[in-house]
Structures are given as C-alpha cells and as structure tokens.
Amino acid sequence: GQNGGDSMEALILVVVFGLAWGSFLNVVIHRVPRRMSLLRPPSSCPSCGARIKPHENIPVLSYLILRGKCRRCRAPISLRYPAVEALTPVLLAVLYVRAGGFTLSFFASALFTSGLIALAFIDARHQILPDALTFPGIVLGFVYAFFRDDLTPGGALLGAAAGGGFLLLVYGFYRLIRKREGLGFGDVTFMLMIGAFLGWEKTLLTLILASFAGAVFGLLLMKLQGRDMKFALPFGSFLAPAAYVALVWGDRIIAAYLARFPQ
C-alpha cells in the first residue's frame, strides 16, 4: 500500500540523485589527479575546450545523443563518463534497499562508496590513489564508528591497522626481495580507509577478493597480451569493488564460510 509506494518513490529519488552524483564524481575523477579545482572552470571538452552546455550534460542520455563525441570538435568522449553515471545510481540503490531507508548507515555507506568509485577509476587511469580522497575517507570511517552499532571506534582502529599494516608488510617485503616497489603508499592509505569503515573481518575479505581478482586479471593479460610479470596492475581498482562487495554482502559471505568450515 502506501508504504510500498513511498519506498518506491524514495528509491526513484535515490536513482535520480545517483545519476547526478555520478556526473559530479566524473568531475572528481578527472580533476583531482590533475590538482584542479572541482568548481572552476565550468565543464568543458578536454580536446577543444568548448564549454559543455547544461542540455549536453544530462547523465548517460547526453552521451547517447551525442554518440560519444564532442558536438564541436567530434573528439571521442571517454566511455568512463556514462559508465560512472550509470554505475553510481545502481550502487546507491543497493545501499538504500540494504539500509531500509534514509538511515545514517545509508548516508555513510553512500559517501564511502562514492570514494570507492572515484578511487577505482582514478587508479585505473593514473595508477595513483590521491590523499585528497583517502584521508577524508579514513576520517569518515573513524567518526562514523562513534555512531554505529555494528563497529566500535576500537574496531575501526583494528580494521585500519589490519588493512594498512598488512599492505605495509607486503610493501616492505617486496622491496626487500625485489629491490623495487611492488605497491604504492596510496594502496596502504586506501586500506586504512577501507579498514576503518569495514572492520578487520571484512577488510580481510576485501584483501582476499581483490588479490584473487587481480591475479586472475593479471594472468589473463599475460595470456592475451603477452605481458610479463613486471607490469604494474592498479591494485586500488580491485580493492574498491572488493570493498563494496564486503560492505554489502560481507556478513553473508563470512557466515557462509564459517558454516562450511567451522572453527
């Protein structure tokens, strides 16, 4: 009845906002690695500098109408733009359904997920994880821990120590053995952010999922493109989706594992 209609309207609101928010995240993804202001100048074509008018900036739809090209210079527009605009509302809608409404859990998880999206695409393109995004994410995790029932501030600290500490050990061990860096410090700070928000168990799950996905992807690249073992994979681009899976389905995955392999 009425409640069902209200919740559907709220879900539609989340999706519409998610489309617009995805458009903003594209600005973050493009400008933060280049140390540009998020507010100025207004959106413009990276190729010819032409200003993008409001009707050309409708999430997903404008890309389809323009057929993926700038109206002025016909330079191709990256597929990343509609991908982020389409992905964001889907991920936020899942969080809304999981939270059962506009709860503190929803808003905190939505901010955390926004950080994951931006960092995943930035790392894929530039192989960096900017402190301008990971540090506020770490603060979010610790502050939110004071207001939630499922994770204490001590649990957030333990999660951050587990995630960041493990990658720090890997970083040091790899450098000792191979005499070069295997991971960047950005991966360590990213894991501090993930650990502070998820706690140690889901952080461990994130590392397992990301490592497995990265290994499979790396082996496929080696087979299909003839890459050798020395090429660098943007690990943050695997950590981000793994952290989202752990956030939404982590409890279920861990419970299923413990049921299958009781301690």
Side-chain angles (χ1 to χ4, degrees), residues 24-38 118-119 122 126 128-134:
F24 170 71
L25 289 181
N26 269 321
V27 175
V28 172
I29 291 163
H30 179 76
R31 296 190 180 192
V32 167
R34 296 171 172 84
R35 300 179 183 273
M36 295 168 63
S37 166
L38 295 181
L119 287 161
I122 288 172
H126 301 279
I128 58 169
L129 294 160
D131 293 344
L133 297 177
T134 54

Side-chain angles (χ1 to χ4, degrees), residues 14 25 70 75 78 177 202 212 253 255:
V14 169
L25 289 181
C70 170
S78 170
I177 300 298
K202 291 178 188 174
F212 178 76
I253 293 169

Side-chain angles (χ1 to χ4, degrees), residues 30-223:
H30 179 76
R31 296 190 180 192
V32 167
R34 296 171 172 84
R35 300 179 183 273
M36 295 168 63
S37 166
L38 295 181
L39 302 176
R40 294 179 183 179
S43 295
S44 56
C45 171
S47 297
C48 68
R51 291 277 171 86
I52 296 172
K53 295 179 180 176
H55 69 273
E56 296 171 351
N57 213 10
I58 303 167
V60 182
L61 193 60
S62 290
Y63 183 88
L64 297 174
I65 292 170
L66 294 170
R67 297 184 182 178
K69 293 180 181 176
C70 170
R71 189 186 294 277
R72 279 90 179 166
C73 69
R74 308 307 295 163
I77 301 168
S78 170
L79 193 59
R80 185 253 299 164
Y81 287 91
V84 171
E85 289 164 354
L87 181 67
T88 303
V90 172
L91 299 190
L92 295 190
V94 170
L95 294 179
Y96 176 79
V97 172
R98 170 180 168 269
F102 292 117
T103 62
L104 179 61
S105 169
F106 167 72
F107 288 111
S109 297
L111 280 174
F112 177 68
T113 298
S114 299
L116 295 180
I117 294 168
L119 287 161
F121 281 92
I122 288 172
D123 200 30
R125 174 72 176 82
H126 301 279
Q127 296 207 338
I128 58 169
L129 294 160
D131 293 344
L133 297 177
T134 54
F135 282 12
I138 294 167
V139 173
L140 169 70
F142 282 120
V143 171
Y144 177 44
F146 284 94
F147 301 95
R148 57 195 292 189
D149 300 322
D150 59 332
L151 189 69
T152 64
L157 187 61
L158 182 60
F166 179 81
L167 281 200
L168 203 55
L169 281 174
V170 172
Y171 174 89
F173 187 72
Y174 192 90
R175 187 166 185 139
L176 191 69
I177 300 298
R178 301 294 295 271
K179 309 299 182 192
R180 62 189 180 91
E181 290 187 3
L183 286 170
F185 259 97
D187 295 298
V188 176
T189 51
F190 191 22
M191 280 310 303
L192 288 172
M193 167 183 157
I194 290 169
F197 201 92
L198 296 184
W200 75 267
E201 290 177 308
K202 291 178 188 174
T203 297
L204 182 59
L205 176 62
T206 298
L207 283 166
I208 292 168
L209 292 174
S211 299
F212 178 76
V216 170
F217 187 78
L219 288 170
L220 279 173
L221 277 184
M222 286 167 64
K223 186 170 178 62

